[in-house]
Amino acid sequence: MKKYNLTFKYSSILILIFFVSFTSCDPEEKTDEILVDFIVDPDPDPDPDPNSGVASDELVGAYTTCNDGFSNPSRNAPDLPNAINVGTIDDRTCYSDYSESTVNGKQWGVYNITDGSNHLGTTLQPRMERSLARSQKTGVGSFAHFKGTVRILEVGKTSSDSSDGTYIMQAKGKHTGGGGSADPAICLYLAKPVYGADSNGSQVQVSFDIFREQINVRGGEGSGRDIVFLKNVKKNEEIAIDLKVGFRQDPNDSSKKIHYADAIIGGTAFNWNIPEPDRGTQSGIRYGAYRVKGGRAQIRWADTTYSKAEID
């Protein structure tokens, strides 16, 4: 919804009297109309209060689960031609479609989802992600490597800390021996909200705790995942991301290999060795916005690049 700041200069008391008379009607009369316009066509605020903590491409205010025109018939939704973000779109939300914004002289991919907005007849969480071609080899030196810059504006919020948050990226890969999902996540990078007061004293999301949600065993249904705290990042801060998933030689035994998921988030390294490396058959990466069990999530990605290597 666009906001206009009008400045009036009065040259005489007669103009002032006219202005007061003209605006004496109830200013709330058109509140509902404005709100509906915002929900149906949720444009970012182009000129936010610089002290409000609101980004120039952030949606604010009320919203609905779905919006007209965004219920794509399949997850391979129409994408923007020559999208600035690498990878293939996977759109399972009727709240919005992938779009792009320009902030601080940089182009950003816009990923917005809301609670309950997966309209494709599944029980899975809403998402708007991009998938990257997987490395299908498991020899030492095989890898999938993603780089980008992320800004987190809003993530899911519920009444339970265990359900809070939104995934911004994940390591993927199938395995031998069966068990678990047909296309399992190995580890997911989860942003949980941290609240503080804005310029008006209201409690809003001001930063995000980043966690790695990692598997315990391959294909272990019901075995759960460990959630490991990594670091806190500020809202709307540009965070450099480097995620590499692949196979390397075990430094303690040259006859063995390690399947790793190494992340660098805002300059800090968080390396992790994936369990049961000999069962792994792939190294894959997805990024965007995934999971919102309450509220809305807004993630922005820029500077995205991808490379992979496949060695027998």
Side-chain angles (χ1 to χ4, degrees):
M1 178 180 65
K2 296 182 179 178
K3 299 177 182 176
Y4 298 89
N5 294 319
L6 304 178
T7 303
F8 297 93
K9 297 181 179 179
Y10 306 104
S11 58
S12 71
I13 190 65
L14 292 177
I15 296 176
L16 178 58
I17 293 171
F18 175 78
F19 176 77
V20 172
S21 176
F22 181 77
T23 58
S24 61
C25 60
D26 185 359
E28 298 299 321
E29 285 183 355
K30 293 187 177 182
T31 299
D32 291 339
E33 178 183 343
I34 293 173
L35 180 59
V36 169
D37 286 344
F38 180 83
I39 292 173
V40 173
D41 187 13
D43 292 329
D45 183 347
D47 187 24
D49 178 353
N51 298 316
S52 68
V54 176
S56 61
D57 59 347
E58 180 179 355
L59 303 182
V60 296
Y63 55 88
T64 57
T65 299
C66 292
N67 286 301
D68 290 343
F70 297 134
S71 296
N72 46 295
S74 70
R75 55 191 279 189
N76 302 120
D79 200 0
L80 290 182
N82 303 312
I84 57 169
N85 285 171
V86 297
T88 302
I89 197 72
D90 180 358
D91 182 344
R92 294 181 236 180
T93 176
C94 55
Y95 176 66
S96 65
D97 285 340
Y98 171 79
S99 61
E100 294 174 353
S101 62
T102 301
V103 176
N104 298 329
K106 183 181 297 185
Q107 286 187 293
W108 299 83
V110 174
Y111 301 82
N112 296 330
I113 57 178
T114 57
D115 177 32
S117 65
N118 186 344
H119 61 295
L120 296 176
T122 75
T123 58
L124 297 178
Q125 277 289 303
R127 72 187 72 196
M128 187 188 296
E129 292 184 297
R130 288 190 179 272
S131 61
L132 301 165
R134 297 184 187 181
S135 173
Q136 302 285 355
K137 302 292 186 179
T138 62
V140 170
S142 298
F143 65 80
H145 190 190
F146 168 72
K147 292 183 179 181
T149 304
V150 68
R151 287 186 298 122
I152 306 173
L153 305 182
E154 184 179 16
V155 299
K157 175 61 180 175
T158 71
S159 59
S160 171
D161 178 71
S162 63
S163 300
D164 285 351
T166 297
Y167 302 122
I168 61 172
M169 63 183 180
Q170 55 176 314
K172 299 279 287 185
K174 298 180 181 180
H175 54 262
T176 62
S181 167
D183 188 20
I186 295 172
C187 65
L188 307 99
Y189 294 84
L190 174 65
K192 285 180 171 285
V194 176
Y195 280 76
D198 66 6
S199 59
N200 297 318
S202 301
Q203 288 293 304
V204 296
Q205 297 181 12
V206 297
S207 70
F208 305 93
D209 286 339
I210 308 298
F211 296 82
R212 184 179 60 232
E213 189 173 309
Q214 63 196 43
I215 62 171
N216 292 314
V217 295
R218 304 254 187 188
E221 291 292 346
S223 64
R225 300 183 181 123
D226 289 333
I227 300 180
V228 179
F229 173 75
L230 303 181
K231 70 184 301 181
N232 177 266
V233 300
K234 295 179 181 178
K235 174 181 175 177
N236 198 34
E237 180 182 3
E238 295 189 15
I239 308 298
I241 295 290
D242 187 314
L243 177 60
K244 191 172 185 180
V245 184
F247 293 86
R248 60 175 166 239
Q249 189 176 76
D250 188 333
N252 299 316
D253 187 340
S254 60
S255 67
K256 297 180 179 180
K257 60 187 177 184
I258 290 172
H259 197 188
Y260 63 88
D262 292 350
I264 303 174
I265 302 174
T268 307
F270 301 100
N271 297 343
W272 178 61
N273 293 338
I274 302 164
E276 303 172 283
D278 291 335
R279 293 183 64 192
T281 64
Q282 294 178 328
S283 296
I285 296 171
R286 296 169 64 95
Y287 71 99
Y290 165 38
R291 194 182 91 159
V292 54
K293 295 186 176 182
R296 174 173 55 191
Q298 302 186 65
I299 312 296
R300 308 289 182 260
W301 283 98
D303 307 321
T304 58
T305 64
Y306 179 68
S307 61
K308 67 186 178 77
E310 297 179 311
I311 300 173
D312 291 323

